[in-house]
């Protein structure tokens, strides 16, 4: 287990969908002055770049196939080797599979990573029960006019049905925020991503955080662990 007084700057954020990874990643990014990278974002960037590898990735995605771990890890590698990331980085939702974790592990033994101390030093797991994920995702909506985000329980409008910011009265939900989609994403997380957890636990890198409760309470717990 990690010691509390230590500082961590090469961080993997893990947790089920709806655990608040994205939000906490953004807070950490800002506080530590580090970039947060997510695999999805990097793949999108690659396919839009028009590079040879990007085109190969696009072909795979267009066919509806899973992008092999080596492509994803290559994208991550290219980013982490940029000079501005030598002071650290945050990975959001990567590795998503055990195979990605193993390919990434091999990369960390390469001399560039060792010499620049780029090896992951902390894996933060945000733990939230399924019921909480469902409540959190199914309760969220945004103002159709200005896009302000709300949650019927955690962040309701001050006046029922009226946007605090613009006075709009129409609210929309994301198309994939349905019960069926969330349950299937949770199931997918459990079968595909959860096996990564014991992998990092064995390496002594894993620290679990209770991800329930208000954003600032969770980020305070993370602050103590990360050390800033
Ligand atoms: Zn609004």
């Amino acid at each position: 287990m990690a010691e509390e007084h230590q500082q961590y700057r090469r961080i993997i954020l893990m947790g089920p969908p709806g655990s608040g990874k994205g939000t906490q990643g953004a807070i950490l990014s800002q506080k530590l002055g580090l970039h947060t990278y997510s695999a999805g974002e990097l793949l999108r960037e690659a396919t839009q770049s028009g590079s040879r590898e990007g085109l190969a990735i696009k072909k795979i995605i267009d066919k509806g196939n899973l992008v092999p771990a080596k492509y994803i890890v290559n994208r991550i590698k290219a980013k982490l080797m940029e000079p501005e990331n030598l002071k650290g980085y945050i990975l959001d939702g990567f590795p998503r599979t055990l195979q990605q974790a193993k390919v990434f592990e091999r990369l960390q033994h390469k001399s560039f990573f060792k010499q620049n101390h780029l090896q992951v030093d902390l894996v933060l797991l945000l733990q939230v029960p399924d019921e909480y994920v469902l409540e959190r995702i199914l309760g969220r909506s945004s103002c159709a006019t200005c896009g302000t985000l709300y949650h019927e329980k955690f962040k309701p409008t001050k006046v029922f049905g009226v946007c605090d910011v613009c006075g709009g009265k129409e609210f929309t939900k994301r198309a994939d925020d349905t019960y069926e989609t969330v349950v299937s994403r949770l199931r997918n997380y459990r079968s595909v991503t959860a096996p990564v957890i014991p992998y990092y636990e064995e390496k002594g890198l894993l620290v679990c955080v209770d991800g329930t409760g208000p954003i600032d309470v969770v980020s305070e717990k993370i602050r103590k662990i990360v050390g800033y």
Side-chain angles (χ1 to χ4, degrees), residues 155-200:
K155 197 201 167 201
T157 54
K158 291 193 182 84
V159 180
F160 181 79
V162 181
C163 175
D164 296 350
V165 178
C166 74
K169 285 178 179 158
E170 253 183 78
F171 296 85
T172 52
K173 283 182 180 283
R174 276 164 45 172
D176 56 352
D177 283 356
T178 65
Y179 181 84
E180 289 73 22
T181 324
V182 179
V183 167
S184 118
R185 281 162 68 200
L186 282 169
R187 203 173 291 144
N188 190 269
Y189 172 79
R190 194 147 306 122
S191 62
V192 176
T193 306
V196 179
I197 298 167
Y199 180 78
Y200 284 123

Side-chain angles (χ1 to χ4, degrees), residues 143 145-148 163 165-168:
C143 171
T145 313
C146 73
T148 304
C163 175
V165 178
C166 74

